[in-house]
């Protein structure tokens, strides 16, 4: 039986790739790859590809496309606590894409790289039917400072760098034509059209040194939390509170939607999710606040519900489904 | 007037990009980019993108696509004399591409990386209408050993690692249905479907240390030679002999084609073109022969014909046109 990628989806495919990939300084399926360049140092590398058809919401400008492509890639280095030193880009453009739009897009790449203190060194151009941008980010890291996606321990608390649901609500407004107030539209629009990676937060985590695990939430809050549990058959997660943005709560009420669902399953958000020992939380919170950043606690790692994420609603434990963005399907 | 990329072509576009790119350890428009990671060391990086529609000849297998994509990228590090330590890949596949073909393609990437003593660390997958592979190669280099594309000096001799014309003749056979003998077909087929980068040669050049300039010939012999003259308004090239593969000479005679044209303007060949002082030629030739490699001299850098490449045919100087492969057009 000869199956197509559309039949099995991206995650099943990635599982097959595991055997084909050489080992480096980070496990397969972490946010980035890394390899030793000296006894103490790793080079951390990430490539992420932006495909206009699937990654650009309607009316996204060329500058915003370039910017989002850079943010997608750098967010993964943020989750490792690594400062990207340079990016290089491959831009694939249709022959009928205008010169003006191309220069605007590449300027978006350049300026966004600079906003993350990263140099843009150039790359390659090609032509095909859609706009496709592959951005590569490289950063050096002390090996002992690399934060793993897979380091969560029992009784760790789970924290985030922000609130969720803005993209989920925004997709309803900008793709499905739900009505929204001006204020709501502005917040949703920023989240969808001008996302930012939490790089400063990731670098502070690395400096703090006691983060057990970290992941960026670009595949969705629920999916990313399940990733923290991958290959840990005895661990589960209790969500003590689902970090819903207040604007999303209001919007959900107006339209009789489940705010939890908008926060858990939308994806395309670039917050960091991370775990640490409860004892270290207040010290980290103080460090973050001294730099004008917030973090908040949303749950804990437990052995009470192995393999599951659950939250309490009206006295009942609700299972969170491992639903997230998946290519090919 | 709002022009499209198809109106101006890739090279005019690259010229516009020059202002948008930050400076690193290699000039803009070299084969790769590089940046300092210590006082003496540069990290050399190249991204190259394979688009099935334009880069895969008919009947190319998935394994050959993966392999060619890796070779395209590594060839540029070969021209710098740099050993690639790792590659990462971004694979974009249509949803109706089969799982079997995808695994064969990724295995082609892996095995080709290994053939160049390079690790394959993974990457990213996405979906779009065509198969698009962006391969990134990274290698460390002593700064003093970096070979520039732009280092050619007056009176340098120009050499190559091989003969040309096999892809040009092959395109006639496999795209335009010209007839050929079995032996011709086999040679043309290897060149088109299973190209190899001259990595060992490039590493020997770096070890030798007296190569003034080097470029890979993937954009075609003529175009690549003109690249050696870029921004050197007082220099030209005299081709003493056009390095035509003997099989190509026979094929051209059979079909009444100009063998020179097949050798000069086809592209998709991955030989190295390089210049050095005449005094150093025999020493390098001995080194190369001791490793089972050949090089041969094809011309010289001169100030006799500034901005031009010319060769002598039947007592007359013929201009070589700067024609090569160009995207978007």
């Amino acid at each position: 039986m000869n199956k197509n990628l559309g039949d099995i989806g991206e995650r099943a495919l990635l599982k097959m790739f595991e055997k084909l990939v050489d080992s480096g300084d980070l496990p397969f399926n972490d946010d980035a790859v890394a390899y030793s360049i000296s006894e103490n140092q790793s080079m951390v590398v990430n490539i992420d590809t932006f495909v206009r058809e699937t990654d650009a919401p309607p009316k996204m400008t060329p500058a915003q496309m370039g910017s989002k492509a850079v943010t997608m890639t750098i967010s993964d280095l943020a989750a490792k606590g690594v400062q990207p030193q340079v990016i290089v880009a491959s831009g694939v453009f249709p022959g009928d894409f205008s010169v003006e739009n191309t220069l605007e897009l590449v300027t978006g790449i350049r300026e966004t790289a600079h906003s993350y203190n990263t140099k843009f060194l150039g790359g390659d151009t090609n032509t095909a039917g859609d706009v496709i941008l592959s951005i590569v980010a490289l950063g050096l890291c002390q090996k002992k400072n690399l934060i793993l996606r897979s380091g969560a321990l029992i009784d760790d608390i789970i924290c985030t760098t922000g609130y969720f649901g803005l993209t989920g609500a925004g997709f309803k407004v900008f793709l499905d034509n739900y009505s929204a107030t001006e204020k709501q539209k502005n917040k949703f629009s920023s989240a969808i059209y001008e996302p930012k990676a939490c790089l400063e937060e990731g670098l502070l985590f690395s400096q703090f040194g006691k983060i057990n695990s970290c992941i960026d939430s670009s595949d969705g809050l629920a999916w990313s939390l399940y990733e923290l549990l991958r290959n840990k058959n005895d661990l589960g997660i209790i969500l003590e509170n689902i970090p819903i943005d207040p604007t999303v709560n209001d919007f959900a009420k107006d339209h009789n939607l489940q705010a939890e669902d908008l926060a858990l399953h939308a994806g395309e958000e670039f917050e960091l999710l991370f775990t640490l020992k409860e004892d270290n939380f207040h010290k980290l919170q103080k460090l973050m606040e001294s730099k004008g950043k917030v973090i908040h606690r949303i749950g804990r790692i437990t052995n009470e519900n192995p393999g599951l994420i659950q939250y309490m609603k009206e006295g009942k434990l609700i299972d969170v489904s491992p639903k997230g963005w998946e290519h090919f399907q």
Side-chain angles (χ1 to χ4, degrees), chain A:
Chain A
M1 206 175 54
N2 206 342
K3 287 194 172 175
N4 291 338
L5 298 183
D7 303 323
I8 68 161
E10 187 179 19
R11 296 196 173 98
L13 185 67
L14 289 179
K15 231 177 146 70
M16 295 178 186
F17 286 166
E18 191 160 357
K19 287 190 286 284
L20 297 177
V21 165
D22 296 314
S23 61
D25 290 354
L26 281 170
F28 184 76
N29 235 312
D30 209 307
D31 289 273
V33 303
Y35 73 99
S36 297
I37 62 162
S38 70
E39 203 183 322
N40 305 318
Q41 285 187 307
S42 294
M43 179 58 71
V44 183
V45 188
N46 185 47
I47 185 166
D48 218 331
T49 297
F50 172 99
V51 178
R52 182 173 57 178
E53 193 188 337
T54 47
D55 292 315
K59 300 190 183 166
M60 183 173 241
T61 67
Q64 289 170 336
M65 290 183 207
S67 180
K68 183 180 173 188
V70 173
T71 287
M72 284 162 60
T73 306
I74 286 187
S75 179
D76 288 314
L77 260 64
K80 307 283 97 211
V82 174
Q83 170 65 47
Q85 298 169 290
V86 303
I87 62 161
V88 298
S90 159
V92 173
F93 304 104
D96 63 1
F97 200 65
S98 80
V99 175
E100 195 183 345
N101 282 343
T102 308
L103 292 177
E104 184 190 317
L105 186 153
V106 175
T107 304
I109 290 176
R110 168 200 170 82
E111 291 185 356
T112 304
H114 290 178
S115 76
Y116 296 116
N117 290 316
T118 302
K119 278 190 175 186
F120 168 44
L121 288 191
D124 184 37
T125 57
N126 275 277
T127 186
D130 199 2
V131 174
I132 297 175
L133 309 171
S134 287
I135 310 283
V136 189
L138 283 76
L140 269 179
C141 178
Q142 291 293 314
K143 283 182 192 176
K144 63 176 171 43
N145 292 345
L146 266 177
I147 304 170
L148 299 189
R149 184 187 272 202
S150 56
L153 297 173
I154 188 165
D155 295 330
D156 271 5
I157 61 167
I158 305 166
C159 302
T160 78
T161 49
Y163 295 93
F164 288 76
L166 292 168
T167 60
F171 294 144
K172 297 280 180 202
V173 173
F174 299 109
L175 273 66
D176 303 337
N177 294 313
Y178 278 59
S179 63
T181 66
E182 271 314 294
K183 192 188 142 200
Q184 287 169 348
K185 270 191 188 164
N186 288 340
K187 282 206 78 170
F188 302 162
S189 167
S190 291
I192 289 185
Y193 290 95
E194 291 170 343
K196 304 275 180 288
C198 292
L199 179 59
E200 287 176 56
E201 288 87 341
L203 298 177
L204 287 167
F205 296 166
S206 170
Q207 178 189 325
F208 182 68
K210 285 165 184 143
I211 305 298
N212 290 339
S213 67
C214 187
I215 185 173
D216 96 328
S217 65
S218 56
D219 285 336
L221 174 57
W223 186 270
S224 302
L225 288 170
Y226 271 105
E227 282 294 309
L228 295 179
L229 297 180
R230 183 194 281 265
N231 298 328
K232 296 183 184 294
N233 300 328
D234 52 341
L235 298 184
I237 287 174
I238 297 288
L239 280 179
E240 294 157 348
N241 64 80
I242 298 178
I244 304 170
D245 190 282
T247 324
V248 174
N249 267 323
D250 295 344
F251 173 81
K253 237 175 261 164
D254 296 346
H255 293 280
N256 214 7
L257 294 166
Q258 292 291 326
E260 288 89 351
D261 197 47
L262 297 175
L264 284 166
H265 300 299
E268 301 285 295
E269 285 163 306
F270 296 92
E271 302 295 339
L272 298 179
L273 298 165
F274 57 101
T275 77
L276 71 174
K277 275 173 72 176
E278 181 144 25
D279 295 352
N280 293 322
F281 178 68
H282 286 291
K283 227 187 300 175
L284 175 63
Q285 199 176 35
K286 245 168 106 172
L287 170 69
M288 299 302 285
E289 278 173 3
S290 76
K291 306 289 181 180
K293 300 287 175 193
V294 294
I295 55 167
H296 53 274
R297 173 183 175 147
I298 62 167
R300 58 195 166 84
I301 305 283
T302 168
N303 59 1
E304 290 160 36
N305 51 351
L308 283 183
I309 299 176
Q310 297 181 315
Y311 65 102
M312 188 68 75
K313 189 172 181 175
E314 294 158 9
K316 279 203 302 204
L317 271 178
I318 312 278
D319 287 358
V320 172
S321 74
K323 209 174 73 186
W325 172 256
E326 179 148 26
H327 284 113
F328 305 118
Q329 289 191 319

